[in-house]
Amino acid sequence: MLTDSQYIFESIKEGCLTLSDDEFVIDRLVKYFGNGRIRWHVEFRGHRVELTTGQLKKQPTFRRKMLEQAGVLPPQRAGTDYRRWALDLRKNAIELPWRDRPVDVGFAIDRLTSHGDERWTVEYQGKAIKFTTTKLRRQVSFRKRMLAKAKVLPPQLDPVAYRKWMDWLIQNATEAAPQAGDAPMTEKSWLDELPELAGWQNETLAKRPAGGGGNM
């Protein structure tokens, strides 16, 4: 079995994505405590990487875990610089009891595809979930639709972190190949397929007069 350093060296030779200090900025570190254990979750561009305290303290192990689970290799820091960076990170971590851990541990979409005209498809574990640009950029709408269609609740990110992550996804989105005979689809017709996301059903029920007829 390869050691952490050997794994990283082999990955670099194969051309893995190595980030600079300016590029590698994690969204947040969450410290979960309870049941006599402490767990750390590093959140980075929509990925959530779980680490023990020992793994977080060891730079080769930390870099390997980020490479395996987030697909990027953090920059190599001098030993004292990394220890100082990791210590500052832990001091500023958000603390939550383990019973409140998210249901979305390990969440990462497979691909975001652009269909033009403000239309997108999020691919997640074999499912394709449709969005408009507006709904994609709204974290509440994104989490609600992913839960409804893919049965997974994405992480609740700080608003700035969510915008940063979504901007990164959009910038790196795949362009869908045009299909013969495809008719142009308007924003309205695209949203017609998302009534539960737009909230139209709830609004219609709320505006219906008391005692009104109609099947429920």
Side-chain angles (χ1 to χ4, degrees):
M1 180 180 295
L2 293 177
T3 65
D4 294 331
S5 296
Q6 290 171 335
Y7 179 87
I8 291 170
F9 180 72
E10 292 297 326
S11 299
I12 291 174
K13 288 200 302 183
E14 293 173 4
C16 69
L17 178 60
T18 304
L19 301 182
S20 66
D21 285 336
D22 292 337
E23 294 172 322
F24 184 71
V25 180
I26 71 169
D27 299 318
R28 68 176 182 173
L29 177 69
V30 182
K31 176 183 179 181
Y32 291 102
F33 59 90
N35 298 325
R37 294 182 58 193
I38 293 177
R39 306 163 182 84
W40 305 87
H41 285 177
V42 173
E43 297 180 2
F44 177 78
R45 294 181 180 175
H47 297 272
R48 189 185 295 266
V49 181
E50 183 172 347
L51 300 160
T52 65
T53 303
Q55 291 171 333
L56 189 56
K57 287 181 176 180
K58 296 177 182 177
Q59 181 170 202
T61 304
F62 172 76
R63 298 179 80 209
R64 176 174 183 166
K65 295 281 284 186
M66 293 300 299
L67 183 57
E68 289 177 331
Q69 298 186 37
V72 297
L73 182 64
Q76 175 73 46
R77 301 172 186 266
T80 54
D81 288 343
Y82 179 80
R83 287 192 292 273
R84 187 182 303 111
W85 177 82
L87 181 60
D88 289 342
L89 201 62
R90 297 198 302 275
K91 285 182 178 179
N92 291 288
I94 298 172
E95 295 191 9
L96 296 173
W98 182 246
R99 66 176 179 274
D100 291 336
R101 69 188 188 277
V103 297
D104 47 48
V105 173
F107 174 80
I109 72 170
D110 299 319
R111 181 166 59 177
L112 177 67
T113 302
S114 170
H115 300 276
D117 297 324
E118 303 291 304
R119 297 178 294 122
W120 307 84
T121 296
V122 170
E123 297 179 23
Y124 176 81
Q125 296 188 356
K127 298 181 176 65
I129 302 96
K130 297 178 179 178
F131 287 92
T132 64
T133 301
T134 300
K135 300 302 179 182
L136 195 63
R137 289 189 177 276
R138 291 177 181 170
Q139 183 169 197
V140 172
S141 299
F142 177 76
R143 299 180 82 223
K144 178 180 178 181
R145 185 154 180 81
M146 290 301 296
L147 183 59
K149 296 299 182 181
K151 308 304 180 187
V152 63
L153 184 62
Q156 175 74 50
L157 299 178
D158 173 86
V160 174
Y162 181 79
R163 288 195 298 270
K164 183 191 304 180
W165 175 61
M166 190 53 63
D167 287 343
W168 181 84
L169 282 180
I170 289 174
Q171 289 172 5
N172 292 275
T174 301
E175 295 289 338
Q179 300 294 322
D182 275 354
M185 182 175 287
T186 65
E187 176 85 0
K188 174 64 176 176
S189 62
W190 182 260
L191 281 175
D192 283 342
E193 300 183 21
L194 313 177
E196 74 285 355
L197 179 61
W200 296 336
Q201 290 177 335
N202 293 337
E203 291 176 5
T204 301
L205 291 175
K207 293 178 182 178
R208 182 176 296 169
N215 294 328
M216 296 295 290

